[in-house]
Amino acid sequence: MTQQIVIITGSIFGMLSVIFGAFGAHALKKILSPEQLKSFETGVKYQMYHAIVLLVLGFNFKDITSPIYWCFTAGILLFSFSIYGLVLSSAKGKKLRFLGPITPIGGLLLVVGWFLLLIHFW
């Protein structure tokens, strides 16, 4: 995986995290219950944390392996974006239940990404 792709991916996820966080804090605050808002914020936080990890890896290491990159990237998409979908669809009264099992798969991919990172540098 090239440094440029890792940095671009981290930048996009970081930018979207700020946008979604602002959207949640302002536009969704009136629509979502406190519990739904907390779930939405969890998705935003995890997205930002892992965007920062991708940036740190991209700026500092030339030899990051593809599996680490793909686990973090797919993990963000499946974990955070499924939370966004669940919360927003629930707020509209049509909860997309099929997204429920996707969230833990995304979380597992994030854990695997961290594990692979550990193994890579061990």
Side-chain angles (χ1 to χ4, degrees):
M1 193 56 47
T2 68
Q3 282 183 293
Q4 186 177 12
I5 290 172
V6 176
I7 293 168
I8 289 169
T9 304
S11 298
I12 290 169
F13 281 138
M15 176 187 65
L16 289 175
S17 181
V18 172
I19 292 169
F20 295 161
F23 183 64
H26 299 288
L28 296 179
K29 194 173 191 178
K30 301 169 188 170
I31 299 168
L32 301 179
S33 71
E35 184 178 308
Q36 290 171 323
L37 192 57
K38 187 175 178 183
S39 292
F40 191 88
E41 289 171 352
T42 297
V44 170
K45 284 185 219 171
Y46 274 67
Q47 181 176 333
M48 181 58 85
Y49 298 153
H50 291 88
I52 292 168
V53 169
L54 286 171
L55 289 172
V56 168
L57 292 173
F59 281 120
N60 290 295
F61 303 103
K62 294 181 192 300
D63 63 342
I64 292 304
T65 64
S66 266
I68 295 170
Y69 168 81
W70 285 112
C71 282
F72 283 138
T73 299
I76 291 169
L77 290 170
L78 295 178
F79 182 82
S80 293
F81 284 74
S82 67
I83 290 175
Y84 304 148
L86 283 166
V87 169
L88 294 174
S89 65
S90 179
K92 293 195 177 258
K94 297 182 178 182
K95 189 172 185 177
L96 301 174
R97 297 194 185 280
F98 73 90
L99 292 174
I102 293 174
T103 306
I105 294 169
L108 181 61
L109 285 170
L110 294 173
V111 171
V112 170
W114 284 105
F115 179 73
L116 291 174
L117 189 61
L118 173 69
I119 297 298
H120 180 78
F121 286 104
W122 193 317

